Every structure is written in structure tokens, then in C-alpha cells.
């Protein structure tokens, strides 16, 4: 397949592009930042560039991962977010329809489901963790979430009006973002990542693989939105206890976790404020992340056995 990949110089793009090529696809990377994975240095906000690129390269599929995202809020104004994340997405959708592109995958974010109230969590008075599925009505708390949600709506509209097959991946965190590491202050990076695999993280490899799965299934699905996150061991009935005393809930599912953690000098978050439920992706997309919290514990057990 001839694939246009936006955001090809970014973290995700630089893992995804070689993976797509390895599967026998021709990949055209487009990003304003030059890199080995980027053939076209330019912006998705440049409508003519986008239309020409899709037409001239006879693109059959688009994976749209290029964006201004949360760390960019510090350095970019609201207009830049709208130009890139909303107008840029619209340009790609128009180019897709004009050129008869057969599949479109949009990298969205679980962050758009986090309202101010959810974010404030236990200290803000929340009495239970939020159990988040694709059914909830998002109330994004920042320009990043607002523009990503707008882009999702454009994707839905273009499916409705033009029949373009689009899969939206609301991807959880796969890379630490310096502005949002409140928990990390007391925990090491590896400890934080391990904890987050319980409810809000996936590995970069899993994030890339989810895009491969979405690309394969887009024509069959028509339009769908999926949360993509490592599978959580928790259930909705755990939400009360998760916000008050997360370690006791983790202990119920993984009785030896605290001793394994203690050997490393690790600790669990005292409170967990949200859980992303990725079961729709499992059931409809047939995608489950390979790496989960249980795998981290398995490694810790092995280390202890040596
Ligand atoms: N990092 C995470 O944990 C996370 C979580 C959820 C969703 N996402 C989403 O995943 C995607 C990739 O993020 P990442 O973590 O690899 O971030 P990144 O910043 O490394 O990659 C984003 C890429 O988009 C490019 N870009 C910016 N403006 C552009 C424009 N006008 N035209 C084309 N490309 C442009 C950037 O240059 C960059 O290379 C983004 O859409 C982001 O919103 C990331």
C-alpha cells in the first residue's frame, strides 16, 4: 500500500514508519521537522502541499499522527493548534476524498476525555476514579483536547458524507510528558511507567502496532473510535477504592506486587483517578496491547529468581 504518514519525524512516527515499510508498504512521511523517515518537509496546514502530495504519490491510505500536542501548549497559541490539528486534519480528509483514498487512521488521544474535574481527582473532591470508555461525552480541558476532539468530529463527518473509512485511535500515554508528571516526582521513571500500565499507558511498540491493526481493518469498520491502552486488571466496581487507596486494590489482583516493588524500592500511587477501558478495541478491532502490568511483574520476579 502507498501510505502517507504525517508526524513521521516524531516519537510515534519514527517507530511506525519502519514498521509499515517492513510490512511491504511504501511510506511517504510528511513533517515540518526533517528526519530519516520524512520525505516531505512541510506542514499539514499547507492545503496545496497536502492535496498535491496525496495526488502525486497516488496515496492509498493515510495515517495521520502529526499534531501539536500537550507539551506544545507552552510554546504555541490556540490559533496554531487550530491550524495544525483542525485545519490540517480537514486538509487531509479533503485530499483523501478527492484522491479516493481507501483508509484513514487518525491518532487521537485519551487526554481529550479528561475534564478538569477528573484531573483534579481525589484532592479535587472526586469520590471515585473515572471509568472511561468511548461512550462518555468528553469535556476536554485544554486546547489540545478541544482540537483533537474537533478533528475526530471531522473524521466522523467525512465518513458520513463521503463514505471514507476512518479509524480513530484514542491513544493513551506512550511517552512521558514533562508538564504532566505530577506522580513522577516521588517515583522513578521506570516505576511511574510500570504503575501507569495499570490504567493509562501503553508501550511505544503497542501504540505503533495499534495503527497497523487499524489500517488493516478500516474498510471493514467504516468508522469507529477506540481507546488504545494496556489492558487494565481493574473493574468498574474498583473505582471507589482506587481513588482512596490504590495499593490495596492492586494487591487484590497481584498479591506479590508489594514485595516485588519493595525489592526495587518502588511504590504504587496512593490514588488512581481514571481508568481507560480498552475492551472495545479488543472486541471490534481485535487489538490488545502486548505489554501489560503483569509483564512488568514477571520481569521483576525473574530478576528476583536470579
Ligand atoms: N506522546 C504521547 O504519550 C501521546 C499520547 C496520546 C496521543 N498522542 C498523539 O500521538 C501523535 C504522535 O505524538 P508523539 O508523541 O510521537 O509526538 P511528537 O511531538 O514526537 O510527534 C508529533 C509530530 O508531529 C509533527 N507536526 C507538528 N506540526 C505538524 C504539522 N503542521 N504538519 C505535520 N506534522 C506536524 C511534529 O513535528 C512531530 O514530529 C500525536 O498526534 C499526539 O497527539 C501522543
Amino acid at each position: 500500500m502507498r501510505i502517507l504518514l504525517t508526524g513521521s519525524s516524531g516519537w510515534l512516527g519514527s517507530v511506525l514508519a519502519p514498521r509499515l515499510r517492513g510490512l511491504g508498504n511504501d511510506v511517504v512521511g510528511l513533517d515540518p521537522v526533517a528526519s530519516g523517515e520524512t520525505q516531505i518537509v512541510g506542514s499539514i496546514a499547507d492545503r496545496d502541499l497536502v492535496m498535491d502530495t496525496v495526488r502525486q504519490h497516488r496515496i492509498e491510505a493515510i495515517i495521520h499522527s502529526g499534531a501539536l500536542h500537550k507539551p506544545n501548549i507552552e510554546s504555541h497559541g490556540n490559533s496554531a493548534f487550530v491550524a495544525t490539528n483542525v485545519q490540517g486534519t480537514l486538509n487531509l480528509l479533503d485530499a483523501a476524498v478527492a484522491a479516493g483514498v481507501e483508509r484513514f487512521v487518525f491518532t487521537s488521544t485519551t487526554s481529550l476525555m479528561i475534564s478538569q474535574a477528573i484531573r483534579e481527582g481525589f484532592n479535587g473532591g472526586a469520590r471515585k476514579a473515572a471509568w472511561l470508555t468511548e461512550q462518555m461525552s468528553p469535556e476536554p480541558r485544554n486546547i489540545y483536547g478541544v482540537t483533537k476532539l474537533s478533528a475526530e468530529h471531522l473524521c466522523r463527518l467525512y465518513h458520513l458524507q463521503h463514505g471514507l473509512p476512518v479509524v480513530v485511535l484514542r491513544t493513551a500515554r506512550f511517552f512521558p510528558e514533562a508538564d504532566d508528571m505530577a506522580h513522577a516526582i516521588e517515583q522513578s521513571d521506570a516505576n511511574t511507567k510500570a504503575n501507569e500500565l495499570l490504567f493509562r499507558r501503553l508501550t511505544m511498540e503497542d501504540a505503533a502496532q495499534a495503527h497497523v491493526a487499524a489500517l488493516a481493518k478500516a474498510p471493514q469498520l467504516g468508522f469507529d473510535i477506540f481507546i488504545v491502552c494496556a489492558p487494565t486488571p481493574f473493574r468498574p466496581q474498583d473505582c471507589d477504592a482506587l481513588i482512596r487507596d490504590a495499593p490495596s486494590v492492586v494487591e487484590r489482583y497481584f498479591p506479590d506486587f508489594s514485595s516485588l516493588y519493595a525489592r526495587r524500592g518502588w511504590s504504587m500511587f496512593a490514588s488512581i483517578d481514571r481508568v481507560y477501558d480498552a475492551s472495545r478495541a479488543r472486541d471490534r478491532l481485535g487489538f490488545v496491547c502486548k505489554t501489560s502490568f503483569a509483564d512488568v511483574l514477571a520481569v521483576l520476579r525473574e530478576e528476583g529468581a536470579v
Side-chain angles (χ1 to χ4, degrees), residues 198-225:
L198 283 162
F199 64 104
R200 67 173 300 183
R201 176 175 283 281
L202 71 168
T203 64
M204 184 83 85
E205 289 67 30
D206 280 329
Q209 192 55 32
H211 287 73
V212 173
L215 195 66
K217 207 114 187 243
Q220 230 174 302
L221 290 167
F223 177 81
D224 219 324
I225 297 181

Side-chain angles (χ1 to χ4, degrees), residues 10-12 31-32 43-44 65 67 69 107-108 144 148 171-172 174-175:
W11 291 107
L12 178 62
D31 198 298
S43 169
I44 52 170
S65 294
H69 68 129
T107 314
S108 190
Y144 173 53
K148 281 286 193 178
T171 309
F174 52 81
F175 197 78

Side-chain angles (χ1 to χ4, degrees), residues 136-147:
M136 62 93 71
S137 299
E139 289 180 16
R141 68 184 192 285
N142 57 30
I143 189 68
Y144 173 53
V146 166
T147 52

Side-chain angles (χ1 to χ4, degrees), residues 119 173 175-196 199-201 265-271:
R119 173 144 176 100
R173 174 179 286 177
F175 197 78
E177 292 168 1
D179 68 321
D180 192 20
M181 293 289 284
H183 284 309
I185 292 164
E186 288 172 16
Q187 272 107 352
S188 70
D189 188 44
N191 184 176
T192 300
K193 284 182 178 165
N195 292 359
E196 288 181 349
F199 64 104
R200 67 173 300 183
R201 176 175 283 281
W266 284 7
S267 58
M268 182 48 61
F269 303 145
S271 172

